[in-house]
């Protein structure tokens, strides 16, 4: 008896489905895309309505043959790649290549991999969605046109190997503009004055004073703005010895509602803040949780719903289940009268749900023995956020107290225009959580830049104060502050910014930051994103010559146009034609007008210290450097750095005692893209370079070389011998100068666990001796 064939894109997903479907289905995996545009040419016939020239991806002919053979034996074909644009393209290309021979071809959408959801999807299959496929095609063609036509121009004008992307270039612009905003920022001094006050103990109650803090809020009728120490000192002097009387007490209750369930962007942001996960890692781990995890006797189970979504919608069945869990676990008071419903933005794909656990009763505790550390951490985050979003709001009791510092002999009536007679109002604020609600389980994190300056005088509770009550002054605390520049983007805050501006979609957020980092346009330091010199230059060239490509609003309009294609409201050919008509004209002008940095370099406004001619930024395989425009008459070159304001300053060359083995000139220390290296001082006549030795002898027996740091083509650090290629020793962990107790090797390899435990292994091939230092 013939079986039905179900094709999905992932082997893991196929295994999970196979467990549920049993003998009636053959489940196969395409292992991702099977067709794409060619790598060696544009692959788009611009003159023929932008017809794409798709090719079977290398290595996929065998996969397609297996799928075709299985299709020939099946009575029906079901295509079940992911329910989004990329998944639709995979399904469409598989359908084009299969020999269906008139057999029915169905499209099935799996939003979660549970027995009930799989059964329902197969009972109600649909057809291939042309609009969804066209939206993916349009995006792919747009990205190819931008990348394939601008990148060669950057190769020609700047340096080989550079590239530009449609969405990534906008992200780079945001990072560069933020950095320049920081460079332009001029800190402004200001002061605060905090009073440490004490409520007087009641005579009948006994006990000590109840201290609290209040900040100067108003000077007379104006808001307190103190510019310098002199003004602060004058106020402190004027306030000393005054009566501090409570003038106003305001108490109110407010509710703090739970955040909505996760969508793709908010999951990436919160995982970055709470778990320190890069967006790509978050999506990689979420994919495993969605496709299925082995849970002992249960077999493979999909633990979360589909993770590429911009909808906050929740299935009624899931809501009822979580409400039952909340009542059983936390009690009736934590269950609101009706389910919480969260607003979804207008462009969201509401056929999708929010990201949630497929079974709320499958708690993190119950599955922890089957999950890796990263999987458990992410699942716990998703599970808690989902449960919290249906819990009762927290109730917070807030108190605000205004306290007047009044001259002796006055009861707070009227005021004085003289500085010494001016009324000063201090404000104390406190809050108490009366009922934690959802906060008993989950609180949302914030980006560092959203927190503002730390308030050291923050307090949670105030003593019971009444209007007219006199309190005692214990101490006045003046403090100097400076205004802060806007914070640098983190991956989380950049994704949030892109989402708010309508740039990118759930399937693209994860690759945006990793792409500009991999291209060395941006570097990450303590999670902050900073443009590199190359990133600034590429951004400036694109802004000058391709203003539309890096324009935030233009890119957001293109995203909305792609959404219209998906909804069937606009033909994708029209979107491509409107884009290309402007882009082609801009490209022609850029080819003619863009400054050729490979020939002329980039002007800096600095003069050569040897001959006085202008210094320009030039590029080598080791990165940017300064060179004199008087070359070859003047051969001056230098590394450089930028100060906090972005101004260029020369870095003095460090001359070593080592001589160049090719020409005999002294070797100097230079800075390259992967750190310091040695270069011949006779450059450009002699271009000899070599890595700097680590001072550790090569551990290979019979070799008299020295270990050096090196970098692979992908930028990964490793350690090798400076006698290469005569000695091809490679170490991927850091060597240390410890003598092996077993073989006498001068080096051992150090490994440090995440707990800080250190293990040392002999670096000599074939020894294997190791010890731990815990």
């Amino acid at each position: 008896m013939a079986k039905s064939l179900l094709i999905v894109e992932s082997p893991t997903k196929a295994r999970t489905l196979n467990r549920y479907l049993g003998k009636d289905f053959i489940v196969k995996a395409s292992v991702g895309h099977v067709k794409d545009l060619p790598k060696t040419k544009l692959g788009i016939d611009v003159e023929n309505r932008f017809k794409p020239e798709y090719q079977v991806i290398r290595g996929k002919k065998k996969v397609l043959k297996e799928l075709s053979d299985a299709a020939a034996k099946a009575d029906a074909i079901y295509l079940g790649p992911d329910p989004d644009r990329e998944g639709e393209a995979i399904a469409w290309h598989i359908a084009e290549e299969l020999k269906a021979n008139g057999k029915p071809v169905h499209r099935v959408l799996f939003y979660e991999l549970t027995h009930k959801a799989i059964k329902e999807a197969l009972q109600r299959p649909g057809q291939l969605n042309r609009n969804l496929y066209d939206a993916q095609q349009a995006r792919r063609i747009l990205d190819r046109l931008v990348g394939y036509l601008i990148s060669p121009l950057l190769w020609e004008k700047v340096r080989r190997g550079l590239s530009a992307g449609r969405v990534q270039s906008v992200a780079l612009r945001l990072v560069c503009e933020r950095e320049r905003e920081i460079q332009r920022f001029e800190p402004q001094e200001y002061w605060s004055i905090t009073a440490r006050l004490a409520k007087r103990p009641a005579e009948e109650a006994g006990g000590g004073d109840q201290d609290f803090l209040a900040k100067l809020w108003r000077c007379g009728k104006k808001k307190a703005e103190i510019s310098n120490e002199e003004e602060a000192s004058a106020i402190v002097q004027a306030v000393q010895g005054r009566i501090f009387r409570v003038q106003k007490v305001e108490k109110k209750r407010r509710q703090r509602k739970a955040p909505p369930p996760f969508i793709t962007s908010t999951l990436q942001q919160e995982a970055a803040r709470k778990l320190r996960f890069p967006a790509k890692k978050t999506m990689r781990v979420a994919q495993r949780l969605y496709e299925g995890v082995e849970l002992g006797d249960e077999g493979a189970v999909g633990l979360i719903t589909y993770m590429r979504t911009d909808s906050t919608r929740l299935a009624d069945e899931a809501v009822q289940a979580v409400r039952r869990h909340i009542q059983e676990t936390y009690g009736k008071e934590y269950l609101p009268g009706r389910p919480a419903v969260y607003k979804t933005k207008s462009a969201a794909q509401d056929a999708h749900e929010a990201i949630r656990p497929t079974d709320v009763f499958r708690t993190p505790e119950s599955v922890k023995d089957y999950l890796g550390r990263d999987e458990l951490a992410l699942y716990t985050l998703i599970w808690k956020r989902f449960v919290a979003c249906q819990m009762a709001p927290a109730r917070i009791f807030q108190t605000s107290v205004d306290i007047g510092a009044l001259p002796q002999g006055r009861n707070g009536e009227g005021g004085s225009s003289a500085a010494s007679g001016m009324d000063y109002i201090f404000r104390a604020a406190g809050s108490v959580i009366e009922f934690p609600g959802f906060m008993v389980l989950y609180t949302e994190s914030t980006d560092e830049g959203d927190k503002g300056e730390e308030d050291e005088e923050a307090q949670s509770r105030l003593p019971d104060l009444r209007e007219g009550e006199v309190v005692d002054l214990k101490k006045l605390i003046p403090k100097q502050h400076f205004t802060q520049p806007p914070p640098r983007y983190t991956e989380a805050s950049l994704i949030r910014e892109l989402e708010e501006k309508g740039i990118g979609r759930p399937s693209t957020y994860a690759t945006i930051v990793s792409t500009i980092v991999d291209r060395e346009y941006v570097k990450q330091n303590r999670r902050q994103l900073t443009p590199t010199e190359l990133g600034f230059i590429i951004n400036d060239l694109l802004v000058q010559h391709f203003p539309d490509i890096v324009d935030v609003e233009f890119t957001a309009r293109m995203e909305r146009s792609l959404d219209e294609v998906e909804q069937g409201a606009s033909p994708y050919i029209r979107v491509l034609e409107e884009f290309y008509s402007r882009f082609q004209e801009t490209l022609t002008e850029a080819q003619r007008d863009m400054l050729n940095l490979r020939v002329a370099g980039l002007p800096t406004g600095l003069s050569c210290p040897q001959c006085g001619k202008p210094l320009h930024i030039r590029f080598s395989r080791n990165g940017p450097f300064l060179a004199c425009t008087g070359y070859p008459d003047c051969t001056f070159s230098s590394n450089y750095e930028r100060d906090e304001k972005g101004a260029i300053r020369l870095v003095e060359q460090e001359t070593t005692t080592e001589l160049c083995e090719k020409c005999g000139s002294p070797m100097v220390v230079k800075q390259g893209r992967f750190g310091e290296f040695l270069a011949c001082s006779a450059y450009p006549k002699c271009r000899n370079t070599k890595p700097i030795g680590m001072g550790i002898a090569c551990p290979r027996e019979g070799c008299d070389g020295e270990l050096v740091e090196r970098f692979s083509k992908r930028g990964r650090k490793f350690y090798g011998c400076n006698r290469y290629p005569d000695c091809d020793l490679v170490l991927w962990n850091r060597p240390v100068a410890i003598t092996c107790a077993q073989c006498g090797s001068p080096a051992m390899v150090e490994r440090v666990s995440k707990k800080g435990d250190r293990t040392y292994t002999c670096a000599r091939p074939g020894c294997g001796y190791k010890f731990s230092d815990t």
Side-chain angles (χ1 to χ4, degrees):
M1 179 179 175
K3 297 182 179 181
S4 296
L5 173 64
L6 171 60
I7 302 173
V8 293
E9 73 277 45
S10 159
T12 304
K13 189 174 174 181
R15 284 194 296 271
T16 302
L17 288 164
N18 204 41
R19 169 182 170 269
Y20 289 111
L21 296 177
K23 61 182 181 179
D24 295 331
F25 279 85
I26 298 171
V27 185
K28 296 281 187 180
S30 68
V31 196
H33 282 274
V34 295
K35 294 168 72 174
D36 198 5
L37 297 172
K39 289 186 175 182
T40 56
K41 60 178 181 177
L42 179 62
I44 299 167
D45 189 348
V46 176
E47 304 299 327
N48 187 18
R49 295 172 60 81
F50 299 93
K51 183 179 179 181
E53 301 172 16
Y54 290 116
Q55 296 179 349
V56 174
I57 296 171
R58 186 176 180 181
K60 290 301 178 74
K61 287 184 178 180
K62 182 179 178 181
V63 174
L64 285 171
K65 185 178 186 306
E66 291 176 0
L67 297 179
S68 294
D69 291 344
K73 300 173 186 176
D75 58 3
I77 300 166
Y78 292 80
L79 301 176
D82 287 345
D84 57 13
R85 291 175 186 171
E86 291 299 315
E88 198 66 29
I90 293 172
W92 201 277
H93 289 156
I94 291 172
E96 289 177 339
E97 293 297 316
L98 284 185
K99 298 179 176 65
N101 295 324
K103 297 175 184 178
V105 177
H106 306 287
R107 177 75 167 107
V108 285
L109 305 175
F110 299 115
Y111 295 105
E112 58 182 273
L113 297 184
T114 59
H115 184 270
K116 182 176 182 294
I118 294 167
K119 184 178 178 181
E120 289 179 352
L122 290 170
Q123 286 175 344
R124 294 196 297 270
Q127 300 298 315
L128 289 167
N129 186 330
R130 180 83 216 193
N131 293 333
L132 197 59
Y133 174 52
D134 282 348
Q136 191 276 342
Q137 274 203 113
R139 175 183 289 279
R140 185 74 182 92
I141 292 170
L142 285 170
D143 290 345
R144 173 55 68 100
L145 290 171
V146 171
Y148 217 88
L149 296 178
I150 295 181
S151 297
L153 183 61
L154 296 178
W155 285 36
E156 175 190 344
K157 304 288 188 179
V158 184
R159 191 184 77 190
R160 291 186 64 82
L162 300 178
S163 57
R166 188 176 59 88
V167 176
Q168 293 88 345
S169 296
V170 179
L172 174 62
R173 181 177 187 174
L174 291 174
V175 175
C176 289
E177 288 183 346
R178 174 61 57 86
E179 190 65 24
R180 285 191 167 129
E181 196 176 347
I182 293 170
Q183 291 172 353
R184 290 192 300 268
F185 183 82
E186 295 291 343
Q188 300 296 316
E189 180 184 10
Y190 70 98
W191 285 68
S192 64
I193 298 176
T194 302
R196 182 176 295 278
L197 303 169
K199 176 182 171 66
R200 294 177 176 177
E203 291 182 9
E204 67 275 10
D209 296 347
Q210 299 178 57
D211 287 10
F212 63 97
L213 301 170
K215 272 194 169 184
L216 180 62
W217 179 55
R218 301 192 77 85
C219 298
K221 296 182 179 180
K222 294 182 179 180
K223 182 180 177 181
E225 294 181 352
I226 310 170
S227 302
N228 52 53
E229 185 176 11
E230 183 181 359
E231 292 179 11
S233 298
I235 294 173
V236 168
Q237 187 175 359
V239 169
Q240 292 282 8
R242 292 194 174 201
I243 296 173
F244 281 73
R245 188 184 299 277
V246 176
Q247 292 187 334
K248 180 181 178 185
V249 178
E250 189 175 87
K251 298 181 178 181
K252 58 183 178 181
R253 288 177 172 86
R254 72 175 183 89
Q255 285 190 340
R256 180 185 295 177
K257 294 182 178 179
F262 282 130
I263 59 177
T264 303
S265 60
T266 54
L267 175 62
Q268 291 171 354
Q269 292 166 46
E270 192 73 342
R273 292 186 290 239
K274 274 186 161 40
L275 307 178
R276 301 294 190 258
F277 282 6
K280 285 184 76 172
K281 179 177 180 177
T282 297
M283 299 310 291
R284 187 169 62 247
V285 175
Q287 186 90 31
R288 293 201 296 267
L289 295 174
Y290 162 72
E291 291 182 344
V293 177
E294 292 288 336
L295 297 183
D297 294 338
E298 282 192 80
V301 176
L303 292 180
I304 65 170
T305 54
Y306 190 56
M307 63 283 156
R308 294 185 183 90
T309 176
D310 50 7
S311 170
T312 55
R313 185 181 67 82
L314 295 170
D316 291 340
E317 183 179 346
V319 171
Q320 293 309 313
V322 74
R323 285 175 63 82
R324 190 165 73 251
H325 170 79
I326 292 167
Q327 183 163 336
E328 292 173 357
T329 306
Y330 298 98
K332 286 185 178 181
E333 65 211 293
Y334 285 88
L335 185 68
R338 63 182 64 181
V341 178
Y342 295 92
K343 185 177 180 181
T344 293
K345 62 182 183 181
S346 59
Q349 299 176 340
D350 215 41
H352 292 193
E353 278 192 72
I355 303 168
R356 61 168 177 83
T358 55
D359 182 355
V360 72
F361 295 101
R362 196 172 274 121
T363 64
E365 182 68 22
S366 69
V367 298
K368 68 178 183 179
D369 293 338
Y370 306 102
L371 301 181
R373 183 176 60 181
D374 291 342
E375 292 168 330
L376 179 60
L378 192 65
Y379 181 67
T380 301
L381 190 67
I382 294 168
W383 187 90
K384 285 185 174 182
R385 176 86 164 218
F386 170 61
V387 175
C389 84
Q390 292 300 316
M391 294 178 75
R395 294 194 298 274
I396 300 172
F397 187 74
Q398 293 181 322
T399 305
S400 175
V401 180
D402 289 353
I403 301 161
L406 311 174
Q408 295 281 0
R410 289 204 16 239
N411 293 319
E413 305 294 333
S416 171
S417 58
S420 59
M422 183 182 293
D423 289 349
Y424 295 96
I425 308 298
F426 288 76
R427 174 167 288 182
S431 63
V432 178
I433 297 175
E434 286 189 317
F435 172 66
F438 74 94
M439 293 172 65
V440 74
L441 177 66
Y442 179 87
T443 52
E444 188 174 31
S445 299
T446 57
D447 290 310
E448 293 177 9
D450 295 337
K451 296 177 183 177
E453 186 173 332
E454 288 291 333
D455 187 358
E456 296 175 3
E457 294 83 21
Q459 56 209 319
S460 59
R461 186 184 294 272
L462 293 175
D464 186 22
L465 299 168
R466 299 181 181 181
E467 291 183 10
E469 182 176 351
V470 174
V471 295
D472 293 331
L473 173 65
K474 287 197 163 185
K475 186 179 183 181
L476 286 171
I477 309 165
K479 186 176 180 181
Q480 183 186 40
H481 307 267
F482 290 93
T483 55
Q484 298 297 309
R488 290 187 174 92
Y489 286 112
T490 62
E491 187 170 20
S493 62
L494 181 58
I495 289 173
R496 184 183 63 186
E497 184 81 0
L498 292 169
E499 182 191 26
E500 289 176 353
K501 293 182 180 299
I503 297 167
R505 286 297 178 262
S507 61
T508 63
Y509 293 135
T511 60
I512 291 172
V513 175
S514 64
T515 299
I516 58 178
V517 171
D518 291 345
R519 289 175 177 172
E520 298 175 10
Y521 296 163
V522 168
K523 60 184 177 183
Q524 281 183 299
N525 182 20
R526 296 180 180 177
R527 298 191 300 138
Q528 294 182 329
L529 300 174
T530 308
T532 63
E533 189 69 32
L534 181 62
F536 271 129
I537 290 170
I538 296 301
N539 175 69
D540 292 346
L541 290 173
L542 293 177
V543 169
Q544 181 180 357
H545 298 285
F546 296 95
D548 281 350
I549 296 300
V550 291
D551 180 70
V552 171
E553 179 53 37
F554 178 81
T555 305
R557 278 201 310 273
M558 291 303 303
E559 297 288 359
R560 292 194 292 270
S561 296
L562 294 174
D563 290 339
E564 290 173 0
V565 172
E566 181 176 329
Q567 295 156 11
S570 178
Y572 87 98
I573 294 296
R574 181 192 300 166
V575 174
L576 295 174
E577 288 174 343
E578 290 176 355
F579 169 81
Y580 191 71
S581 61
R582 297 176 61 175
F583 175 67
Q584 187 179 31
E585 182 179 340
T586 306
L587 181 65
T588 302
E589 293 174 354
Q591 289 169 335
R592 182 190 67 225
D593 300 336
M594 185 181 287
L595 181 67
N596 192 326
L597 303 187
R598 298 187 71 172
V599 175
L602 185 69
T604 63
L606 299 178
S607 299
C608 175
Q610 292 184 1
C611 73
K613 291 186 177 179
L615 289 177
H616 284 192
I617 295 174
R618 303 293 297 269
F619 288 90
S620 72
R621 60 187 178 88
N622 292 310
F625 65 99
L626 292 177
C628 181
T629 54
Y631 177 82
D633 297 329
C634 178
T635 59
F636 176 81
S637 66
S638 173
N639 288 330
Y640 68 94
E641 59 187 12
R642 291 185 182 269
D643 63 20
E644 60 183 14
K645 295 298 182 183
I648 293 175
R649 56 189 177 204
L650 277 66
V651 175
E652 290 187 17
Q653 291 185 350
E654 180 185 343
T655 304
T656 69
T657 56
E658 189 168 345
L659 299 180
C660 175
E661 61 268 29
K662 292 186 177 180
C663 73
S665 300
M667 299 293 282
V668 295
V669 178
K670 291 207 171 186
Q671 186 74 27
R673 24 189 315 219
F674 299 125
E676 291 182 338
F677 67 98
L678 292 177
C680 181
S681 58
Y683 178 88
K685 291 181 180 179
C686 178
R687 296 177 178 268
N688 184 32
T689 63
K690 58 195 299 187
I692 295 175
M694 300 177 67
I696 303 174
C698 177
R700 174 162 281 167
E701 196 166 4
C703 179
D704 63 351
E706 181 184 359
L707 293 180
V708 295
E709 274 188 9
R710 296 185 184 275
F711 290 86
S712 69
K713 290 182 178 179
R714 294 182 174 271
R716 184 182 174 189
K717 183 189 291 186
F718 68 97
Y719 305 88
C721 181
N722 65 352
R723 298 296 187 212
Y724 179 84
D726 296 329
C727 176
D728 60 359
L729 178 83
V730 171
L731 303 172
W732 291 102
N733 293 93
R734 184 170 184 83
V736 291
I738 298 177
T739 302
C740 175
Q742 179 168 293
C743 72
S745 164
M748 301 192 77
V749 170
E750 180 184 59
R751 292 180 176 87
V752 183
S753 72
K754 293 189 176 179
K755 293 182 180 180
D757 299 334
R758 298 176 186 272
T759 303
Y760 298 91
T761 306
C762 182
R764 178 167 290 170
C767 177
Y769 173 77
K770 68 168 60 177
F771 69 91
S772 297
D773 181 15
T774 56

